[in-house]
Amino acid sequence: MADDRPAPPGAALHEKTATQGQTAAPPPTPAYLWHNGRLVPWQDATVHITQIGWTAISAVFEGIRGYWSNERQDLYLFRLDEHLKRLARSMKLMRMAPAVSAADLTSAMLDLLRANEFREDVYVQPLVYFAGGVPGYRAAYTQPTEVLITARPAPSALKTGRASHCCISSWVRLADHVMPPRAKALANYQNSRLVSTEARINGYDGGIMLNERGKVAEGAYACIFLVRDGVAVTPPATAGILESITRASLLEALPQVLGVPVEVREVDRTELYLADEVFLCGTLAEIDPVVSVDRYSVGTGEPGTVTRRLEDLYHGLVRGTDPRYPAWRIPVYHDA
Ligand code: PMP
């Protein structure tokens, strides 16, 4: 059957480079996204070219993972309620009026995932922005907001044996009095992008940011823990971090399930060099073992015992094969 849908953005570029054998095929786009109260065919959701950038400057968003369970034939959204609460906090900081209630956002996400018939791991991204293409540098607080939700396949990297070599970035984490890092605002990701790009150019997998006080803040897209003498340590919410939902989950599960004591306190750069274990954590990053920092081996230079046990635990919790913390999982296809 002829496919008369318009080519996805970037398709022409892709074809050119693919014939040179340089890129893999772009993933197919899902059938639907959700925009302002309704499911819209992916290809029909377009905006005028002049809107590029301006809408994004003030936008806030969330990133939520859904994990497919073969055993249960269901998809589980991890800690959806917490993500929606953080979205509301980000909107409040940006002086955005709620466009849609948390209950309606939940229904919207479930409708979207069901309409796309996902039977695989996914990443769901609600994005809230000021309507009408308000130029981003102007005061904006009375304008109505709009909501876009996308969901795409995003295979988990848990238990695939990955490990990261990181550097301390020369870029400093955004300060609360500059652009508040506790808001999950699109514009904040310029900071993350500079960090990741610098790290990759210099031969590392990722970068870790210090804050304006010179203390450890977080990774480009993830929070950080170190383990020393059996205690897991992570910087506090006032260190310039995004208030990570994965970090909060681990602060509960590490002591309660694995019997690993946790400490929330300021962390020096050199503590990372001397740690027995370091790992990053986040919705997309999941549990990412860090095996060197600035080419100092962390511990043995292999992912450590606590990190491995945690990765196993997290894998079970997000997919529901471990029944603990049932409230953390929202099933998409069956009732809870
Ligand atoms: N810090 C930053 C800058 C992030 O982008 C993320 C990913 N959302 C995190 C930390 C981890 O947060 P969460 O566990 O809520 O995904």
Side-chain angles (χ1 to χ4, degrees):
M1 200 175 77
D3 185 354
D4 58 0
R5 289 174 308 176
L13 176 67
H14 161 71
E15 275 156 27
K16 198 162 142 215
T17 49
T19 52
Q20 295 161 355
Q22 290 173 356
T23 56
T29 51
Y32 297 101
L33 51 72
W34 189 97
H35 188 218
N36 290 337
R38 60 191 186 97
L39 293 169
V40 181
W42 187 281
Q43 310 296 347
D44 295 350
T46 56
V47 293
H48 193 263
I49 188 76
T50 55
Q51 297 299 304
I52 285 183
W54 300 119
T55 302
I57 280 188
S58 49
V60 297
F61 73 108
E62 267 307 317
I64 303 138
R65 263 196 194 263
Y67 287 90
W68 175 251
S69 163
N70 255 332
E71 287 97 328
R72 286 145 204 258
Q73 293 291 297
D74 210 339
L75 186 60
Y76 293 103
L77 291 173
F78 190 65
R79 308 218 65 181
L80 177 60
D81 296 351
E82 291 306 314
H83 281 283
L84 292 179
K85 282 185 201 154
R86 188 171 63 189
L87 183 65
R89 292 198 298 269
S90 298
M91 288 176 64
K92 178 172 182 181
L93 276 178
M94 295 302 139
R95 302 186 189 278
M96 288 175 154
V100 186
S101 70
D104 287 347
L105 278 178
T106 302
S107 311
M109 281 181 218
L110 295 177
D111 287 350
L112 177 64
L113 292 165
R114 291 172 189 151
N116 282 313
E117 299 177 11
F118 286 117
R119 295 171 65 81
E120 62 199 305
D121 296 345
V122 294
Y123 183 70
V124 187
Q125 197 176 68
L127 178 85
V128 185
Y129 57 93
F130 283 116
V134 183
Y137 49 84
R138 290 234 189 107
Y141 51 95
T142 53
Q143 290 80 353
T145 53
E146 296 189 353
V147 184
L148 165 70
I149 309 175
T150 52
R152 292 169 179 267
S156 166
L158 287 171
K159 298 175 72 166
T160 55
R162 78 165 155 177
S164 295
H165 297 272
C166 291
C167 59
I168 301 296
S169 181
S170 70
W171 296 102
V172 169
R173 184 61 176 146
L174 292 168
D176 191 62
H177 60 295
V178 180
M179 284 171 65
R182 66 165 54 75
K184 196 164 169 66
L186 272 187
N188 288 358
Y189 284 80
Q190 177 71 323
N191 192 203
S192 302
R193 203 186 63 79
L194 288 166
V195 171
S196 311
T197 308
E198 177 191 56
R200 294 298 282 274
I201 286 171
N202 290 337
Y204 298 94
D205 300 310
I208 296 162
M209 288 178 277
L210 305 181
N211 59 29
E212 86 278 17
R213 298 188 299 278
K215 300 294 180 184
V216 173
E218 61 180 349
Y221 307 98
C223 280
I224 192 164
F225 279 78
L226 65 86
V227 180
R228 193 165 166 192
D229 299 330
V231 179
V233 182
T234 192
T238 49
I241 65 169
L242 180 73
E243 292 177 346
S244 153
I245 289 154
T246 317
R247 170 182 169 279
S249 309
L250 302 188
L251 284 174
E252 278 190 60
L254 276 164
Q256 288 172 7
V257 183
L258 298 185
V260 174
V262 289
E263 255 179 48
V264 176
R265 62 158 175 82
E266 295 219 316
V267 171
D268 281 336
R269 169 185 192 149
T270 50
E271 288 188 90
L272 297 178
Y273 301 156
L274 298 177
D276 301 325
E277 304 182 33
V278 173
F279 59 87
L280 296 165
C281 72
T283 299
L284 262 189
E286 304 176 295
I287 309 294
D288 184 4
V290 175
V291 290
S292 76
V293 179
D294 286 344
R295 306 289 180 215
Y296 285 96
S297 288
V298 173
T300 61
E302 297 284 329
T305 323
V306 172
T307 311
R308 281 285 171 244
R309 288 175 67 213
L310 185 63
E311 201 175 344
D312 280 356
L313 172 68
Y314 192 71
H315 183 265
L317 291 176
V318 294
R319 278 188 211 284
T321 48
D322 185 326
R324 283 173 279 212
Y325 307 105
W328 288 2
R329 296 173 292 273
I330 304 287
V332 172
Y333 295 112
H334 303 107
D335 291 335

